[in-house]
Amino acid sequence: MTPALRLEEVVVEYAPVRALDGLTLAVERGEWVAILGPNGAGKSTLLRVATGVVRPRSGAVFLGERSVARMTPREIARTAAVVPQEVWVPFPYTALEIVLMGRAPHLGWLGLEGEADYARGLAALARTDAAHLADRPLDTLSGGERQRVLLARAIAQEAPLLLLDEPTTHLDIAHQIHFLDLLRELHREGRTIVTILHDLNLAALYAPRLVLLAGGRLLADGSANEVLTESRLAQAFGARVCLARHPAVGCPVVLPLPGDRATAEA
């Protein structure tokens, strides 16, 4: 079966930095993959390349069987939906209006939403526990509320591939769990999910497959037990950690250790 997303020897440069350095990666249909790595590892660039926002200097990117370079923005949007870290909106659109923007790839040439589109938008807000925000302007919402609205937009877009860039950053612990539980539901319904996560423990708890990047290159790829090792994390992050086991589910738990820098500063 053709992977949902495939990168072949992709190189991206933001002079003088090479953000992706010959990265090859395939995400199969129906997989849930968490992308991990330190700041500057190339995680966000990977998502931008996947949707054609950034064109690689060399290499190839495919959504399904098609090269992203040969797809129109509308075709890409029907295939992949993005939940970004932040979104800038120039007008005081309401949460529902933002969610309905996810319906754009499915609208006719007039670009007008019908009753079915509104129903999908409201249902998506309900799934993200944001129905009560429907009439609120986006610029009046907290960071966590905005993130739930952006996920609702991605759900309403009805693309088979979801790409999420640090989606839990602005959420408190209760909404982090609700958000990731919802992603688990979407995954079980057949969506392919690629999500960047800074929280290694949440990644280990939820994502069946972890991909660890460092310096734009693939450092490790596999289960939490295979990827989250003390030596690999020290290599990627330059930080001392120790590993424990989650008492309920048995997955690795990453615990920080004070290092030489912390000792010197103390």
Side-chain angles (χ1 to χ4, degrees), residues 201-262:
N201 294 323
L202 286 177
L205 188 61
Y206 280 91
R209 177 184 171 193
L210 309 185
V211 169
L212 179 61
L213 301 182
R217 296 183 178 182
L218 181 65
L219 184 61
D221 182 354
S223 68
N225 287 324
E226 294 168 329
V227 172
L228 299 181
T229 68
E230 293 176 5
S231 60
R232 283 205 179 100
L233 295 177
Q235 181 182 355
F237 292 93
R240 298 177 62 212
V241 301
C242 67
L243 297 178
R245 291 287 164 186
H246 194 291
V249 298
C251 68
V253 175
V254 180
L255 301 172
L257 288 172
D260 295 336
R261 180 180 300 174

Side-chain angles (χ1 to χ4, degrees), residues 8 61 171 196 214 219 230:
E8 295 182 352
V61 184
L171 304 181
I196 295 171
L219 184 61
E230 293 176 5

Side-chain angles (χ1 to χ4, degrees), residues 13-263:
E13 290 184 345
Y14 303 125
V17 177
R18 181 164 284 195
L20 294 179
D21 191 4
L23 181 65
T24 294
L25 179 69
V27 178
E28 302 298 331
R29 297 176 193 271
E31 273 199 298
W32 184 355
V33 179
I35 308 296
L36 314 176
N39 294 336
K43 304 184 299 295
S44 295
T45 299
L46 189 160
L47 297 194
R48 294 188 183 108
V49 163
T51 53
V53 174
V54 169
R55 294 296 177 94
R57 174 182 173 183
S58 61
V61 184
F62 298 87
L63 289 174
E65 298 180 350
R66 301 191 61 187
S67 168
V68 169
R70 298 180 179 178
M71 298 174 70
T72 66
R74 183 182 180 92
E75 290 170 335
I76 293 172
R78 286 183 170 181
T79 306
V82 179
V83 178
Q85 289 185 50
E86 303 285 349
V87 63
W88 179 77
V89 179
F91 301 104
Y93 292 113
T94 66
L96 179 56
E97 288 171 331
I98 293 294
V99 172
L100 288 174
M101 292 177 186
R103 299 299 304 158
H106 307 284
L107 302 181
W109 67 276
L110 288 177
L112 300 176
E113 300 93 352
E115 290 184 8
D117 298 302
Y118 276 89
R120 286 181 171 88
L122 291 170
L125 282 169
R127 287 201 74 174
T128 61
D129 194 25
H132 62 291
L133 304 174
D135 296 325
R136 290 268 304 275
L138 192 71
D139 59 5
T140 69
L141 303 183
S142 69
E145 289 170 336
R146 287 188 182 205
Q147 205 66 3
R148 284 183 277 152
V149 170
L150 294 178
L151 177 59
R153 181 180 67 178
I155 292 173
Q157 195 168 323
E158 296 184 330
L161 173 62
L162 288 180
L163 305 172
L164 304 100
D165 194 351
E166 299 179 30
T168 61
T169 298
H170 299 295
L171 304 181
D172 59 38
I173 185 63
H175 282 103
Q176 285 180 353
I177 294 170
H178 177 82
F179 193 103
L180 291 169
D181 282 346
L182 177 54
L183 288 187
R184 179 179 284 168
E185 289 180 20
L186 295 169
H187 177 238
R188 288 171 176 169
E189 292 169 7
R191 302 277 185 109
T192 305
I193 297 175
V194 178
T195 179
I196 295 171
L197 287 173
H198 265 312
D199 192 316
L200 303 179
N201 294 323
L202 286 177
L205 188 61
Y206 280 91
R209 177 184 171 193
L210 309 185
V211 169
L212 179 61
L213 301 182
R217 296 183 178 182
L218 181 65
L219 184 61
D221 182 354
S223 68
N225 287 324
E226 294 168 329
V227 172
L228 299 181
T229 68
E230 293 176 5
S231 60
R232 283 205 179 100
L233 295 177
Q235 181 182 355
F237 292 93
R240 298 177 62 212
V241 301
C242 67
L243 297 178
R245 291 287 164 186
H246 194 291
V249 298
C251 68
V253 175
V254 180
L255 301 172
L257 288 172
D260 295 336
R261 180 180 300 174
T263 302

